[in-house]
Each structure stands twice: as C-alpha cells, then as structure tokens.
C-alpha cells in the first residue's frame, strides 16, 4: 500500500481518537473537581480506584477499536464496553494490570541503563574508562541496551492490540 493511502487512511481514526479523548475527559474532569472539593486523601484514593475498576477497565479497548476496526467514537466506546462485559472484564482487568507492571519494569530497565552508564561504569572502570574517549565497545553496549528497551516497549504496545483481536474474534 502506498504511503499516501496509508497516511490518508489514518487521518479519520486519528480525529475519532481525539474526539473520544475529549468525550472521556469531560466526565473525568468533573469527577476530579468533585473529589478535590471533598479534600479527603482516603476517599480520593478509593474514588480513583473505583473509577479505574468500574469504567477504565471497561473502556480499555476503545482506542484500539477505533484504530483497528475504523469505528467512530461512540461505536468504539460501546464496542469496548461490550467486549469487556462478563468474563471479558477479567481479561481486560488482567491486561491492564499486566500493561501497568510491564510499563513499571520498562521504566526500571531504563533507570538501570542510566544508572549503569553514568554511575557504575565510571566508578568500577575508573582506570580504563575515559568519558572523553568512549570506546566502540561501550557504544555498542549502550546501543544494545537501548534496543532491548525499545523491543520491550514495542511488545508492550502490541500486547493490548493482540488481546483485543483475540477478544474480538471470540465474540
């Protein structure tokens, strides 16, 4: 498929995703204002957890439905709600938990790379390490670590799409 057709075919789903984001943001902002007026940390935590568990998990497939199936904003919301009903709720919840833990692990991986490159390497290789003349081996080592992080990032982005396609095929 030529680039122009691919680009022009992605404009409408992008507009639909922006509209969906606005539709989801309005009730969320009202919710935040109400919770802030209450000004109780425990109630705030419970309210956000309940909002995530009751609504966030049910709408987790919305943007994927818009992008993959070319659905409109309302169609995407209703399709996601339908896919995550009944047993599908547990699947959607576990997917959200796995994505959250994966993001946490990827962030820890990037922090470990930064820690290793800026603290451990100069500390433990002080005699042979010169920041002004970094050898090709260190560049290759850093590039491999960054590529591993990018690989896991792309795997994380593909995981919800695969779960959606699997759920969509079952229903």
């Amino acid at each position: 498929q030529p680039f122009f057709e691919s680009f022009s075919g992605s404009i409408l789903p992008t507009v639909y995703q922006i509209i969906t984001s606005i539709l989801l943001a309005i009730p969320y902002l009202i919710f935040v204002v109400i919770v802030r007026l209450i000004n109780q940390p425990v109630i705030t935590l419970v309210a956000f957890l309940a909002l995530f568990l009751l609504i966030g998990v049910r709408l987790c497939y919305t943007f994927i439905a818009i992008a993959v199936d070319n659905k409109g904003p309302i169609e995407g919301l209703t399709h996601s709600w339908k896919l995550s009903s009944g047993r599908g709720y547990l699947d959607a919840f576990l997917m959200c938990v796995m994505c959250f833990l994966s993001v946490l692990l990827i962030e820890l991986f990037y922090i470990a790379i930064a820690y290793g490159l800026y603290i451990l390497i100069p500390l433990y290789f002080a005699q042979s390490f010169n920041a002004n003349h970094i050898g090709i081996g260190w560049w290759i080592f850093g590039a491999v670590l960054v590529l591993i992080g990018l690989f896991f990032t792309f795997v994380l982005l593909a995981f919800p799409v695969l779960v959606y396609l699997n759920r969509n095929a079952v229903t």
Side-chain angles (χ1 to χ4, degrees):
Q1 180 173 354
F3 176 74
F4 181 74
E5 289 178 22
S6 178
F7 179 74
S8 63
S10 66
I11 291 174
L12 195 58
T14 302
V15 171
Y16 286 162
Q17 288 189 355
I18 291 170
I19 293 169
T20 305
S21 296
I22 293 169
L23 288 174
L24 292 174
I26 292 170
Y28 175 76
L29 290 174
I30 294 169
F31 177 78
V32 168
V33 168
I34 292 170
V35 168
R36 292 296 292 166
L37 291 175
I38 295 172
N39 200 19
Q40 295 292 325
V42 174
I43 293 174
T44 302
L45 180 65
V46 170
F48 275 110
L49 187 62
L51 182 69
F52 168 74
L53 290 175
L54 297 176
I55 297 172
V57 171
R58 294 293 301 267
L59 299 178
C60 68
Y61 298 122
T62 301
F63 294 103
I64 300 169
I66 292 171
V68 172
D69 291 339
N70 293 323
K71 295 190 180 292
I74 303 300
E75 283 180 301
L77 290 166
T78 56
H79 189 64
S80 177
W81 195 267
K82 183 182 83 170
L83 281 179
S84 59
S85 64
R87 168 138 167 73
Y89 179 82
L90 181 62
D91 294 341
F93 175 74
L94 291 175
M95 181 196 69
C96 290
V97 168
M98 288 176 63
C99 285
F100 174 77
L101 293 175
S102 298
V103 167
L104 183 67
L105 286 174
I106 288 171
E107 293 300 321
L108 290 174
F109 181 77
Y110 281 127
I111 289 170
I113 289 173
Y115 183 76
L117 291 176
Y118 291 108
I119 294 174
L120 291 179
I121 291 173
L123 183 65
Y124 290 107
F125 298 101
Q127 287 84 14
S128 64
F129 185 80
N130 184 353
N132 295 327
H133 304 307
I134 297 176
I136 189 72
W138 291 112
W139 283 105
I140 292 172
F141 179 69
V144 166
L145 289 178
V146 168
L147 287 175
I148 290 171
L150 287 173
F151 172 76
F152 284 115
T153 302
F154 289 129
V155 166
L156 174 65
L157 293 173
F159 176 68
V161 175
L162 294 175
V163 171
Y164 169 79
L165 292 173
N166 187 34
R167 290 291 307 152
N168 212 16
V170 170
T171 57

